[in-house]
């Protein structure tokens, strides 16, 4: 492993991409300290700094996984039991983590970040997963998803980030958060290491609601008040079951007011209070950061710094793992046999994958305003074939809720799905009959939109779905859009309707309500298809008010049955995530969503760094 000084020459201000040949020549034959060779990078890099500002002076799968079922660390960190809470306070205290006694500090983590640039570095103004993953390294939240040796990737048990105690009052509508008094902004002007206050949280929420396309996530919040420097209260309009999971999701980051006041947003300067301090972003190459010495979670992070690499093609990614120049990457299932054969020392582990591939269109215009046409498209998708061809036979069918959220997922194969199970089954002849009944006896000619920005495996999936549509009577002219354009103009719902369909990926939300509200409610931030179904809207709003977990689950199952009949968004399939780690990486816990940089990286440590 290498210290930061060993890789300082790696980062050029020119925008260059990794190539497999350059990767192998540079790392395999020259060494870690050499300049990395790459081809030209994308022309549309986000408005971002090239270097940090100067510091201030002061489930039920189709087949069983072939590798380990969960990411198991070398040594499990212990936690102490929560202290007793005085009756009536409504606050949950944050257990204090005990550092792993085997953990060693130091070293540089090099990992595969993305296949392309994020469209922006401001997590409020852009919804891209790359922007949110970037933000997790540098910014804080009130709560975060707990990670540990005995927790599944999708457990989504909240623990405190900035908050050291939190909870609802007796009315269920007032949530109080007590902030960690040791939390400070990074020691970079204009924040200069000042304390993070409740006023920062209240301002950030106001700014989020004024600027973010995801603001409807918190429509149930009536107002937010900083009652003192370390106490903030969220008052809801009504009892709201998903609130805790939503406030802890990787969406609402606490941003620096002084930077926004000066610059208008945070796309030019990244100054937070999270585990790492921003160093540099090189378009098409990497982003880097170093350990925050004043981080308020004791003992974290263990590593000195990190390099998040942008590598477009799978061959180059695999070359980096084999050459031991990547410490961690998620790899496609079809690369597993080769990796096991060539590099048995690489640790391969599997976790549930909260992935939502889905078809969308405009349901307020023909032909996709007819549920028979939408059902037909769903029947054309050969879900089992996709699992077999792309995911080595390991994966399962999603419903409106992905199978990885196993508590809330209604298995389309199960008797509980009822008569609507037929709409998931591959049946191109039945699909053709539905099209004919809807007035399209000769099939349909459509434009199919997608993006190569999710990587090579995704492109394979797009091509398989295109072939499935053809077999069912839908001739799809495929148009691939560059990722930033796709997010801004297609994923956002700005594409034209009519004979246009999209095959894309949905955000991996941590709470079932986020899928239902965002995708299907008229006020949802990801209502790509312009769904406006009064019956469905009432069902979604009702489950959000139900605090009894068993009753709420039954209501969500009812919604999934209803949606299987309407097929506003025919869901696809999801595999397991396969994580490849070098043998010197320890305590890399199960990864689930965009919180990787805050929830997992600070806990891992490197041996022999």
């Amino acid at each position: 492993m290498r210290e930061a000084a060993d890789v300082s020459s790696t980062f050029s201000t020119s925008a260059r991409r990794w190539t497999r040949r350059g990767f192998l020549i540079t790392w395999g034959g020259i060494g870690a300290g050499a300049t990395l060779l790459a081809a030209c990078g994308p022309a549309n890099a986000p408005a971002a700094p090239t270097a940090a500002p100067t510091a201030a002076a002061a489930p039920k799968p189709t087949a069983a996984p072939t590798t380990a079922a969960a990411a198991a660390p070398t040594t499990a960190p212990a936690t102490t039991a929560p202290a007793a809470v005085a009756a009536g306070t409504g606050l949950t205290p944050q257990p204090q983590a005990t550092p792993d006694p085997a953990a060693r500090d130091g070293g540089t983590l090099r990992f595969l970040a993305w296949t392309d640039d994020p469209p922006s570095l401001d997590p409020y103004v852009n919804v891209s997963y790359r922007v949110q993953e970037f933000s997790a390294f540098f910014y804080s939240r009130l709560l975060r998803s707990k990670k540990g040796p005995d927790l599944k990737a999708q457990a989504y048990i909240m623990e405190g980030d900035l908050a050291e105690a939190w909870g609802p009052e007796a009315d269920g509508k007032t949530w109080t958060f007590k902030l960690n008094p040791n939390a400070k902004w990074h020691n970079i002007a204009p924040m200069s290491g000042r304390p993070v206050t409740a006023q920062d949280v209240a301002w950030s929420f106001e700014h989020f609601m004024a600027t973010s396309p995801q603001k409807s996530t918190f429509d149930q919040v009536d107002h937010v008040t900083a009652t003192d420097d370390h106490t903030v209260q969220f008052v809801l309009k009504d009892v709201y079951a998903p609130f805790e999971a939503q406030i802890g999701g990787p969406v609402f980051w606490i941003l620096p007011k002084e930077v926004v006041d000066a610059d208008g947003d945070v796309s030019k300067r990244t100054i937070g209070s999270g585990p790492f301090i921003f160093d540099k972003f090189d378009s098409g190459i990497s982003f880097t950061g170093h350990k925050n010495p004043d981080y308020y979670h004791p003992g974290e992070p263990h590593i000195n710094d990190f390099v998040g690499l942008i590598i477009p093609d799978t061959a180059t990614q695999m070359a980096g793992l084999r050459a031991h120049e990547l410490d961690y990457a998620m790899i496609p299932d079809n690369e597993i046999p080769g990796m096991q054969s060539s590099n048995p020392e690489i640790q391969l582990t599997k976790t549930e994958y909260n992935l939502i591939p889905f078809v969308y269109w405009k349901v307020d215009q023909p032909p996709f305003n007819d549920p028979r046409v939408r059902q037909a498209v769903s029947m054309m998708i050969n879900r089992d074939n996709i699992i077999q061809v792309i995911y080595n036979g390991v994966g399962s069918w999603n419903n409106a809720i992905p199978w990885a959220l196993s508590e809330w997922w209604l298995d389309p194969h199960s008797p509980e799905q009822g008569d609507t199970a037929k709409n998931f089954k591959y049946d191109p002849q039945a699909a053709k009959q539905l099209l004919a009944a809807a007035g399209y006896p000769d099939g349909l000619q459509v434009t199919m939109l997608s993006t190569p920005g999710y990587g090579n495996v995704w492109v394979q999936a797009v091509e398989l779905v295109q072939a499935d549509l053809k077999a069912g009577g839908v001739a799809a002219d495929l148009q691939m859009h560059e990722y930033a354009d796709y997010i801004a103009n297609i994923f956002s719902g700005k594409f034209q309707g009519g004979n246009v369909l999209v095959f894309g990926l949905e955000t991996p939300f941590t709470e079932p309500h986020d899928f239902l509200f965002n995708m299907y409610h008229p006020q949802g931030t990801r209502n790509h298809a312009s769904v406006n179904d009064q019956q469905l809207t009432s069902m979604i709003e009702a489950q959000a008010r139900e605090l009894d977990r068993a009753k709420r689950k039954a209501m969500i199952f009812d919604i999934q049955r209803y949606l299987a009949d309407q097929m506003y968004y025919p869901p696809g399939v999801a595999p397991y995530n396969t994580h490849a780690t070098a043998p010197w990486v320890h305590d890399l816990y199960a990864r689930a969503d965009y919180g990787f940089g805050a929830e997992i990286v600070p806990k891992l440590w490197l041996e022999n760094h």
Side-chain angles (χ1 to χ4, degrees):
M1 296 303 298
R2 302 149 305 280
E3 297 290 342
D6 298 322
V7 295
S8 59
S9 62
T10 294
F11 309 107
S12 163
T13 55
S14 63
R16 299 176 296 176
R17 281 191 188 274
W18 292 104
T19 66
R20 185 170 184 269
R21 181 173 180 271
F23 194 103
L24 291 173
I25 291 174
T26 304
W27 286 355
I30 299 176
T35 302
L36 301 175
L37 305 176
C40 294
N44 59 336
T50 57
T54 304
K60 195 174 181 180
T62 299
T66 56
T67 57
T74 302
T75 306
T79 56
T80 58
V85 184
T89 64
L91 300 184
T92 301
Q94 168 63 21
Q96 295 301 307
T98 302
D100 181 349
R104 304 176 188 178
D105 289 347
T108 299
L109 177 74
R110 300 173 69 92
F111 64 94
L112 171 63
W114 314 299
T115 59
D116 204 344
D117 288 346
S120 167
L121 298 184
D122 188 322
Y124 282 13
V125 302
N126 194 283
V127 301
S128 166
Y129 78 96
R130 293 173 185 155
V131 184
Q132 308 304 323
E133 285 189 339
F134 170 88
S135 299
F137 287 86
F138 309 113
Y139 297 114
S140 300
R141 289 170 280 168
L142 285 172
L143 306 178
R144 64 186 185 184
S145 180
K146 186 176 182 179
K147 304 300 178 187
D150 300 318
L151 292 173
K152 290 185 177 182
Q154 315 297 335
Y156 295 124
I157 299 169
M158 291 297 115
E159 67 175 3
D161 186 359
L162 279 176
E164 63 175 8
W166 69 95
E169 301 297 331
D171 64 0
K173 294 191 289 186
T174 302
W175 283 75
T176 301
F177 297 84
K178 292 282 187 180
L179 304 189
N180 188 322
N182 298 317
K184 300 177 182 179
W185 291 97
H186 297 158
N187 192 22
I188 299 171
M191 307 314 293
S192 303
R194 73 164 177 83
V196 179
T197 66
Q199 289 82 6
D200 290 319
V201 177
W203 174 85
S204 291
F205 188 81
E206 179 181 346
H207 182 55
F208 181 93
M209 296 301 285
T211 61
S212 176
Q214 306 191 87
K215 62 186 178 181
S216 67
T217 303
F218 298 108
D219 271 351
Q220 286 296 322
V221 177
D222 184 74
H223 63 274
V224 179
T225 304
T227 59
D228 61 44
D229 284 351
H230 294 103
T231 308
V232 62
Q233 285 189 335
F234 287 70
V235 178
L236 311 183
K237 298 172 184 175
D238 200 350
V239 174
Y240 186 55
F243 179 71
E244 184 182 45
Q246 287 183 335
I247 205 71
V251 173
F252 174 51
W253 310 97
I254 310 306
L255 298 189
K257 182 178 186 297
E258 290 93 322
V259 172
V260 175
D261 286 347
D263 298 350
D265 58 31
V266 295
S267 64
K268 303 175 186 68
R269 290 189 286 176
T270 299
I271 307 172
S273 55
F276 296 96
I277 297 173
F278 175 75
D279 284 333
K280 196 174 185 181
F281 173 79
D282 271 333
S283 176
I285 298 177
S286 66
F287 74 102
T288 61
H290 65 276
K291 177 178 182 174
N292 176 9
D294 299 318
Y295 192 43
Y296 47 89
H297 286 288
E300 298 180 4
H302 294 295
I303 60 172
N304 286 341
D305 41 42
F306 71 84
V307 182
L309 291 161
I310 301 169
I311 308 176
D313 68 284
T314 303
T316 307
Q317 298 164 11
M318 298 305 103
L321 284 169
R322 289 188 168 97
H324 289 176
E325 295 296 343
L326 276 177
D327 303 318
Y328 166 72
M330 289 191 292
I331 70 172
D333 284 313
N334 58 12
E335 295 289 343
I336 292 173
M339 187 63 66
Q340 288 175 320
S341 175
S342 66
N343 291 74
E345 79 284 359
I346 299 291
Q347 303 167 23
L348 299 179
T349 56
K350 282 188 176 291
T351 58
E352 306 92 335
Y353 196 2
N354 189 7
L355 185 74
I356 290 278
F358 71 119
V359 179
Y360 59 105
W361 35 45
K362 293 298 183 182
V363 300
D364 56 355
Q365 304 172 37
F368 300 115
N369 61 340
D370 191 323
R372 293 170 295 185
V373 176
R374 302 193 298 263
Q375 292 166 5
V377 170
S378 181
M379 290 179 178
M380 294 175 199
I381 301 173
N382 192 340
R383 293 169 171 85
D384 285 337
N385 185 59
I386 295 173
I387 292 172
Q388 192 64 42
V389 172
I390 296 181
Y391 304 130
N392 280 1
V394 182
S396 196
W397 297 5
N398 285 333
N399 209 313
I401 303 298
W403 73 264
L405 291 184
S406 55
E407 179 184 2
W408 307 100
W409 170 64
L410 176 58
D411 185 351
H413 295 96
S414 71
E416 290 181 279
Q417 183 69 58
D419 183 60
T420 55
K422 67 179 184 297
N423 294 335
F424 291 89
K425 295 176 181 176
Y426 179 59
D427 193 341
Q429 292 307 312
K432 290 178 179 179
Q433 292 171 9
L434 280 173
L435 287 181
Y440 306 100
D442 299 322
L444 285 170
Q445 180 77 39
V446 302
T447 299
M448 181 180 181
L449 308 178
S450 193
T451 177
Y454 296 123
N456 297 348
V457 173
W458 172 253
V459 173
Q460 287 180 270
V462 172
E463 291 170 349
L464 286 176
V465 170
Q466 181 188 24
D468 287 344
L469 294 175
K470 184 176 181 180
V474 175
D477 175 27
L478 180 58
Q479 296 180 8
M480 288 293 211
H481 288 246
E482 183 270 331
Y483 179 74
D485 176 60
Y486 170 82
I487 292 294
N489 297 306
I490 299 173
F491 186 80
S492 64
K494 296 177 183 177
F495 64 94
Q496 68 177 3
N499 285 43
V500 176
L501 63 79
V502 188
F503 189 54
L505 288 175
E506 189 53 89
T507 302
F509 295 114
T510 61
E511 223 286 337
H513 176 77
D514 290 333
F515 287 107
L516 300 177
F517 182 88
N518 283 313
M519 295 177 71
Y520 299 99
H521 195 284
Q523 297 175 8
T525 56
R526 285 166 172 74
N527 191 342
H528 319 276
S530 302
V531 177
N532 190 354
D533 180 329
Q534 186 173 352
Q535 179 181 347
L536 177 59
T537 297
S538 297
M539 294 169 76
I540 292 171
E541 292 175 351
Q543 62 79 29
R545 293 189 296 267
E546 180 53 67
L547 298 182
D548 184 290
R549 202 169 184 89
K551 292 180 180 178
R552 184 170 177 236
K553 179 177 179 178
M555 296 167 78
I556 290 175
F557 274 29
D558 284 342
I559 293 172
Q560 289 178 83
R561 279 185 282 266
Y562 181 83
L563 289 174
D565 185 52
Q566 295 297 319
M567 277 296 169
Y568 290 123
Y569 305 104
V573 300
Y576 283 81
N577 261 335
T578 301
H579 308 264
T581 55
W584 50 79
V585 179
H586 300 277
D587 290 1
L588 195 153
Y589 299 127
R591 180 179 182 178
D593 54 36
Y594 307 156
F596 177 66
E599 299 164 358
I600 297 173
V601 175
K603 293 178 170 60
L604 64 80
W605 57 278
L606 307 176
E607 186 178 3
N608 299 326
H609 57 77

